[in-house]
Amino acid sequence: DQLMSEMRAAHDLGLLYERPVVLGDQRINITVSQLKNGAKEAVLDLVQPWNGGWNRLYDSVSTARKEAVPLGEGFLGIDSFFDPKLMTAAPVSLLKYPLSYFVRSPVFSIIVLCFFILSGGVDDANALSDLTPTDLAESIFFSALETVIFARIFLKELLAERNEILAENIFEQCRNYAADKGNVWDKLFQPAGDKS
């Protein structure tokens, strides 16, 4: 029961208190499709600098960052990551989600876990001591490429575009309540037995 998702918890509480619950996120198949398209665009832009790819990639990442993670007065800052409540809840989240996958799909989780254990057979201490400057430069280069691609996907498809979908769905629900004549807030927070 502790591994239940927040969506399921919201649904169950809505039923318990006889309140409508609208899960306003976009469907997962749409999100996955957009992630694939975003990754393809990012990789194509990355390998085609002569065709304006790097400029498109930079513009896409910077625009999405400004929309999804605004900075300045009135917004969360870097110090927000060190909020005591967030810091105490972080270990729960870090354990909850992997455990929920394991509970829902134990066979697949065990296969993935075995793969990670079996592929980690290289002695890391020896690998670091044998690292040449060329190997280090290659590692940094490929890490930078991965970071750019994942930043593009994370900021644009997962944050900026989904924030827009969530905001539209919330606004649509507000319009639905407003169409029912009367104060939206009175309708939302009327007692459970009052159906007027």
Side-chain angles (χ1 to χ4, degrees):
D1 195 37
Q2 295 297 325
L3 297 177
M4 184 170 59
S5 78
E6 60 274 12
M7 302 291 184
R8 174 71 62 166
H11 173 265
D12 292 349
L13 285 171
L15 289 176
L16 178 69
Y17 291 102
E18 298 178 5
R19 292 285 173 253
V21 174
V22 177
L23 304 177
D25 206 347
Q26 67 185 1
R27 296 184 183 278
I28 190 67
N29 58 335
I30 295 171
T31 302
V32 169
S33 174
Q34 288 179 333
L35 288 173
K36 287 178 185 176
N37 291 338
K40 185 169 62 172
E41 287 175 15
V43 169
L44 287 175
D45 285 344
L46 200 57
V47 298
Q48 296 178 349
W50 63 88
N51 197 19
W54 288 4
N55 288 334
R56 278 191 305 273
L57 191 59
Y58 175 79
D59 290 343
S60 177
V61 170
S62 63
T63 301
R65 202 270 322 143
K66 288 174 188 167
E67 290 175 10
V69 189
L71 301 173
E73 190 66 33
F75 296 104
L76 296 176
I78 194 71
D79 58 325
S80 301
F81 288 104
F82 301 105
D83 178 70
K85 289 182 182 176
L86 180 64
M87 296 296 282
T88 56
V92 174
S93 294
L94 294 174
L95 290 174
K96 175 183 169 185
Y97 290 104
L99 283 176
S100 68
Y101 287 118
F102 187 78
V103 168
R104 279 190 234 138
S105 182
V107 174
F108 180 72
S109 298
I110 290 172
I111 290 170
V112 169
L113 186 62
C114 288
F115 173 75
F116 281 124
I117 290 170
L118 293 175
S119 67
V122 177
D123 184 11
D124 292 335
N126 289 339
L128 286 177
S129 65
D130 295 337
L131 192 66
T132 66
T134 304
D135 292 337
L136 181 62
E138 288 175 0
S139 178
I140 291 172
F141 175 73
F142 284 110
S143 293
L145 292 180
E146 289 173 355
T147 302
V148 167
I149 291 171
F150 286 120
R152 159 60 166 77
I153 295 168
F154 181 74
L155 289 171
K156 188 168 187 287
E157 277 75 22
L158 284 181
L159 287 179
E161 290 179 1
R162 282 183 64 219
N163 284 351
E164 219 173 284
I165 298 291
L166 289 167
E168 287 173 7
N169 289 338
I170 291 168
F171 186 62
E172 182 64 32
Q173 289 307 306
C174 290
R175 277 192 287 204
N176 289 344
Y177 279 103
D180 288 343
K181 295 194 173 97
N183 188 332
V184 174
W185 299 111
D186 291 342
K187 293 282 185 187
L188 279 173
F189 298 110
Q190 68 185 0
D194 182 12
K195 300 294 182 192
S196 59

